Amino acid sequence: MKECIVVFDSGMGGITALIKAMEMLPQENFIFYGDNKNVPYGTKSYEEIQKLMDRVIEDITPFNPKSLVLACNTATVSSAEYLRKKYKLPIIGMEPAIKPALIDPKDQDKRVLLLATEATSHSKKLSQLISNVDKESRVDILPMPSLVHFAENLQFDGPELMEDIHCLLSSYDFNDYKAVVLGCTHFIWYIDFFHKILPPHIQLVDGNVGTIRQLSRRIVPTSGQEKGSVSIYFTKTITPEKKKFLEEAIPRKIQWLDSNSMK
Ligand code: DGL
């Protein structure tokens, strides 16, 4: 069996990290595992998420991956430590990219708005990260669970989405802000949408590049010049529309896995 890296998310958010990983580590073989049967993770308890993650590890173990990337901030804050204690598999987590947003030398006095799921927003891990990097209390946190639902339904624009986002953001004066951190991989699909609705000086920051850099430091790279393979597994069958969307978004031939491949 070929050596592979598993990229995990509760659904299609982590596909944005998979695309980045394919670009930065083209020779690696990837399996994407999306637990869309149980999405959203962001409204679940840590215990529930940890149980689901045990199942993920059980499913991917036969592939003997060299690393598991949690392309999911929620799975990272709830389960990364739990999984590292329990399994030998190297686990790369993803945390909201607050630090790069804060240290950017431009507009040092301005604030940073973090958008995340409820589970990430209320996590101990996030408060620890904030107390380490945000000495001047310049980060505000806004949970945005509806965006996960919109992304899973491939709704990337339109009046319903616009109204929902406007309503959530209407109390913020973006003149006081310099950056918005996309602290949930599902939200990364909305970069163009956020650029459209936010003032042009607002920087959009996400954790994909930092996570894949961390992955590249932790693996023994696959040698050779040839491009690696990409397989995708979802725990619940996806619609033909979503399959087509992903085939257009992912710049390589996809091998689709079903539950039989997981046995
Ligand atoms: N994409 C995930 C994250 O980065 C979680 C979304 C969800 O399942 O609620 O947090």
Side-chain angles (χ1 to χ4, degrees), residues 9-10 13-14 39-43 71-74 117 120 148 183-186:
D9 185 33
S10 60
V39 68
Y41 274 30
T43 50
C72 176
N73 297 263
T74 308
T117 64
T120 301
V148 175
C184 167
T185 47
H186 279 76

Side-chain angles (χ1 to χ4, degrees), residues 96 98 112-116 126 130 139-143 180-183:
I98 296 170
V112 167
L113 179 63
L114 166 65
L115 309 180
L126 178 63
I130 289 183
V139 176
D140 297 312
I141 306 168
L142 175 63
V180 168
V181 175
L182 305 174

Side-chain angles (χ1 to χ4, degrees), residues 157-210:
D157 214 332
E160 202 193 335
L161 172 74
M162 196 64 107
E163 198 188 316
D164 188 84
I165 304 293
H166 264 302
C167 180
L168 286 163
L169 297 180
S170 60
S171 59
Y172 295 88
D173 179 355
F174 282 97
N175 291 319
D176 299 338
Y177 289 82
K178 64 169 177 172
V180 168
V181 175
L182 305 174
C184 167
T185 47
H186 279 76
F187 302 175
I188 301 173
W189 289 109
Y190 292 91
I191 285 191
D192 291 345
F193 178 82
F194 282 119
H195 273 307
K196 199 166 78 181
I197 62 164
L198 292 170
H201 73 275
I202 297 289
Q203 254 200 68
L204 289 165
V205 188
D206 69 69
N208 276 350
V209 171

